[in-house]
Amino acid sequence: MTRIIAPFFLTITLVVASSTFGQQQGFGQPVATPATPQAAPAKPAATTATPAAAAPAPKVKPTPSTVATTEAEVKERLERKISLDLDENKTFEDLAQTIAEKTGIQVFIDAKGAGALGITMGSPVIKEPLKCTDITLTTVLRRILAEQDLTYVIDDGMLLITSVDEAKTNHVSIKIYDVGDILKSLCEENEKSADYWGNLMDVIETVVQPDSWNEGGQMMELGSKLLVVRQTNEVHDELAAFFKELRDKIQETKKDAPTVKKP
């Protein structure tokens, strides 16, 4: 892992697209025919012509209007729990269709990264049947893709399946994390002379995908409470989850700590 002294330049691109779809359905009703009058027999019975019933309008197959179009939406749906039943005949195209139907996430194969490994939309997803119930899509994808040296990145609101090498080389981003509260807790619980920044970074390197920090991952402190990280989207997601878990533990520790009354 390289800790950078020079500042990073952060470019954030957000593409938001939305579409709405309608569904129309109509039905015609016949007009009732009044009864024939029974008055004078010499007069013809008065009748009212019955118009032809209008044919029902064809039903329009509803098109999902909840397609994920932003990185935030894709990330939120990746954490949804789903059920999958895959066998060795299922292709990446089948997987993409299933994911789209269940979550609204659009899935594509990266021709450069995955294509270099001979992976296309027609390639089989797994070698042995896989059936899972009530598990997050993130967990399922990582398990499936890791077997073929693949991973996924989020690109313009879409899920792009690519090679691990391609993701580390060309699909990295820079994010800034506010860790001031975590550093403050470390300072309160330990000696004031301790290297809190160094300790926190060491823990991150050990817990969050350790190998990635030796393959281009970078961290640097910015000011007194900001941590700048250059990593793949997958590592960023794990890092965010790590910080959340760490904050939850800090809060639990504070609740369990005995209250000291001042004299």
Side-chain angles (χ1 to χ4, degrees):
M1 191 276 294
T2 305
R3 294 180 184 171
I4 302 300
I5 298 177
F8 290 107
F9 294 92
L10 176 63
T11 302
I12 302 177
T13 303
L14 179 62
V15 179
V16 179
S18 61
S19 59
T20 55
F21 301 85
Q23 181 178 7
Q24 183 178 3
Q25 180 178 349
F27 297 92
Q29 297 294 338
V31 179
T33 304
T36 303
Q38 301 297 326
K43 294 182 179 181
T47 58
T48 303
T50 303
K59 292 184 178 181
V60 180
K61 185 178 180 181
T63 305
S65 58
T66 57
V67 176
T69 57
T70 66
E71 179 178 345
E73 290 176 337
V74 173
K75 286 185 175 181
E76 184 273 324
R77 297 181 192 196
L78 282 171
E79 296 306 315
R80 294 182 183 179
K81 293 185 177 181
I82 65 171
S83 298
L84 285 177
D85 189 358
L86 302 174
D87 57 44
E88 59 272 18
N89 296 320
K90 296 293 184 181
T91 65
F92 278 98
E93 185 174 359
D94 297 325
L95 178 64
Q97 182 177 354
T98 300
I99 292 175
E101 291 174 351
K102 289 180 177 290
T103 67
I105 297 175
Q106 303 174 81
V107 182
F108 296 90
I109 290 287
D110 178 22
K112 181 180 179 181
L117 299 177
I119 304 296
T120 67
M121 291 298 281
S123 301
V125 178
I126 55 177
K127 297 180 180 180
E128 298 180 355
L130 173 65
K131 186 174 183 180
C132 54
T133 304
D134 196 29
I135 189 170
T136 64
L137 180 55
T138 297
T139 303
V140 176
L141 282 176
R142 286 176 179 169
R143 175 179 175 182
I144 292 174
L145 299 178
E147 295 180 357
Q148 302 194 50
D149 198 26
L150 297 171
T151 185
Y152 67 83
V153 296
I154 301 173
D155 189 3
D156 285 343
M158 300 177 294
L159 199 69
L160 191 65
I161 296 177
T162 187
S163 66
V164 174
D165 290 340
E166 178 70 13
K168 292 176 180 178
T169 304
N170 297 319
H171 293 279
V172 297
S173 60
I174 299 171
K175 295 187 179 182
I176 301 177
Y177 299 88
D178 188 338
V179 294
D181 57 328
I182 296 176
L183 293 171
K184 181 179 179 181
S185 296
L186 292 174
C187 180
E188 292 174 350
E189 297 176 6
N190 299 279
E191 298 178 3
K192 294 184 178 180
S193 59
D195 179 10
Y196 304 115
W197 272 115
N199 292 343
L200 180 59
M201 290 183 181
D202 289 342
V203 172
I204 292 173
E205 291 177 9
T206 303
V207 175
V208 182
Q209 293 204 18
D211 293 340
S212 68
W213 304 103
N214 296 323
E215 299 172 353
Q218 300 168 338
M219 283 187 291
M220 67 166 284
E221 60 265 30
L222 181 64
S224 60
K225 62 178 183 178
L226 300 180
L227 179 66
V228 184
V229 179
R230 180 182 184 273
Q231 266 288 6
T232 63
N233 290 337
E234 183 178 357
V235 176
H236 277 302
D237 291 343
E238 289 193 22
L239 185 57
F242 167 74
F243 285 144
K244 181 181 182 303
E245 182 179 358
L246 187 57
R247 287 186 171 99
D248 290 342
K249 290 183 177 180
I250 290 174
Q251 291 300 320
E252 291 178 3
T253 302
K254 290 183 177 179
K255 289 180 180 179
D256 296 336
T259 303
V260 178
K261 295 183 180 180
K262 295 182 179 180

